[in-house]
Amino acid sequence: MTRHTKKTAPTITVVGSFTVDMMMRIPRLPVYGETLLGSSFLQAPGGKGANQAVACARLGANVNYVGVLGMDSMAEAALELFRQEGIGTECLFRTDEAATGVGFVLQFPDGNNVCLTDMAANQHLSADMVDRAASLIEESDAVLTCLEIPTDAALRSMELARKHGVCSILNPAPAIAGIEKLKGHVDVLTPNHVEAAALLNIDPDAATSADAVAIARTLREEGFPAVIITCGEDGAVIADGCGEMKVLGAKVQAVDTTGAGDTFNAALAVAIAEGKPLAEAVMFANCAGALACMKVGCVAAIPYRDEVEERFRSTYSAMN
Ligand code: RIB
């Protein structure tokens, strides 16, 4: 597959996280004290920020990554990944105070997963470091961040983006309780339906994707100009100045959903940066996220631009 290159490609700065992911297939969650046999062990680069950066690059954007790695050999995987994908590392920092981040990803037979992460070096990304990326942010068309880094650093990137009239997109993953800190800095908020419930202090176990429209409306009323709640194979819900709408998902045979949300967010950022209307951007992102479920792993499963465009045509022209 060749890289998509356009003279008019948008520039996205991803302020995020990198982990080395250790993935294993398991039949079910073990109980306390139990040793359970897994299979298909795989070690690969991951972390929400790195996945998002790779996806933005494969979808045709110029990408800068801002983040922190340790001084250990695991950091080499990030350097190699960013080099291969043509991602800018001018503001990639190193620390000797922590190891490079690590993730344990447990994959269930139905394609769903749970992740456990030690963010380690990623937690050393400070607001001051983000300030050093101010000129990259100023020259960007969109800034995308997540919460696998300190909230202050994520918010600083959103503040700088807004200051320079650049679209600020926050994927509030992993979930945090409460929205007070996030208000006023974010143009587009993109929780999944569990994270959205957590932001409003609703029990995430009780939240279903059926509640997403009401939750999106409430989040918007709380001060986020656009809220997009992802609902897995059910698609996504948008709440913005035009009201609320559901966008149907692109159906695929999912084998592994890890990294699908990161790919969705990257595709959304690219489409917004290209000037697409929000509903079309969400359709494009739905297709990218769905395609990312069709292969095992994160980076290995992230699709390229032509694949997403083809899926977009087949999914949404069939619906008209
Ligand atoms: O969103 C998927 C990512 O979340 C994985 O790469 C894993 O590292 C976790 O951080």
Side-chain angles (χ1 to χ4, degrees):
M1 203 62 72
T2 52
R3 183 184 304 277
H4 172 87
T5 49
K6 277 198 313 187
K7 278 205 179 114
T8 54
T11 297
I12 314 265
T13 296
V14 176
V15 179
S17 52
F18 172 84
T19 57
V20 171
D21 286 349
M22 316 267 177
M23 291 174 252
M24 192 186 290
R25 291 198 163 269
I26 56 166
R28 58 174 170 79
L29 279 177
V31 296
Y32 288 118
E34 180 184 19
T35 298
L36 188 63
L37 296 184
S39 62
S40 310
F41 173 74
L42 194 68
Q43 179 173 323
K48 295 185 192 305
N51 295 337
Q52 290 168 355
V54 169
C56 287
R58 290 187 184 175
L59 294 173
N62 300 308
V63 187
N64 306 301
Y65 177 85
V66 180
V68 185
L69 305 173
M71 302 294 282
D72 44 28
S73 58
M74 287 191 298
E76 300 302 321
L79 300 175
E80 178 59 13
L81 177 71
F82 296 147
R83 192 191 59 72
Q84 275 176 5
E85 302 287 340
I87 291 165
T89 53
E90 192 183 319
C91 288
L92 178 56
F93 301 97
R94 308 289 293 267
T95 180
D96 57 9
E97 290 177 45
T100 299
V102 176
F104 296 109
V105 182
L106 303 175
Q107 299 156 329
F108 297 103
D110 67 357
N112 282 311
N113 65 77
V114 291
C115 301
L116 304 166
T117 53
D118 179 352
M119 296 322 299
N122 297 290
Q123 287 300 331
H124 289 254
L125 184 64
S126 64
D128 286 349
M129 287 169 169
V130 176
D131 281 341
R132 283 152 70 181
S135 63
L136 291 180
I137 289 174
E138 184 177 359
E139 288 160 17
S140 299
D141 298 291
V143 175
L144 175 59
T145 192
C146 66
L147 295 178
E148 284 189 334
I149 55 175
T151 310
D152 286 349
L155 289 181
R156 187 72 185 127
S157 72
M158 300 285 93
E159 279 169 22
L160 286 172
R162 278 202 147 181
K163 179 178 163 193
H164 295 296
V166 174
C167 180
S168 64
I169 305 170
L170 172 66
N171 176 219
I176 58 166
I179 49 174
E180 289 315 313
K181 273 190 103 171
L182 309 180
K183 278 188 193 178
H185 301 298
V186 178
D187 291 322
V188 185
L189 184 73
T190 63
N192 66 24
H193 68 277
V194 174
E195 291 151 359
L199 287 170
L200 292 175
N201 297 311
I202 299 169
D203 177 4
D205 288 336
T208 67
S209 51
D211 305 322
V213 172
I215 291 178
R217 183 186 307 127
T218 306
L219 282 169
R220 188 179 134 67
E221 286 165 0
E222 289 285 348
F224 298 95
V227 178
I228 295 160
I229 300 183
T230 55
C231 304
E233 63 180 13
D234 293 335
V237 166
I238 305 173
D240 66 359
C242 303
E244 296 93 37
M245 75 180 282
K246 283 185 179 174
V247 181
L248 289 179
K251 300 283 178 225
V252 292
Q253 198 68 42
V255 295
D256 178 9
T257 60
T258 325
D262 307 331
T263 305
F264 177 98
N265 276 278
L268 182 77
V270 171
I272 288 174
E274 288 174 349
K276 289 188 168 58
L278 198 53
E280 188 181 334
V282 171
M283 290 176 186
F284 183 75
N286 273 344
C287 292
L291 287 170
C293 299
M294 294 182 72
K295 291 182 195 157
V296 173
C298 290
V299 166
I302 293 171
Y304 287 80
R305 178 80 182 213
D306 49 0
E307 297 171 284
V308 179
E309 285 182 346
E310 193 184 316
R311 181 58 61 136
F312 183 96
R313 280 191 294 273
S314 62
T315 301
Y316 293 108
S317 60
M319 284 180 187
N320 286 332

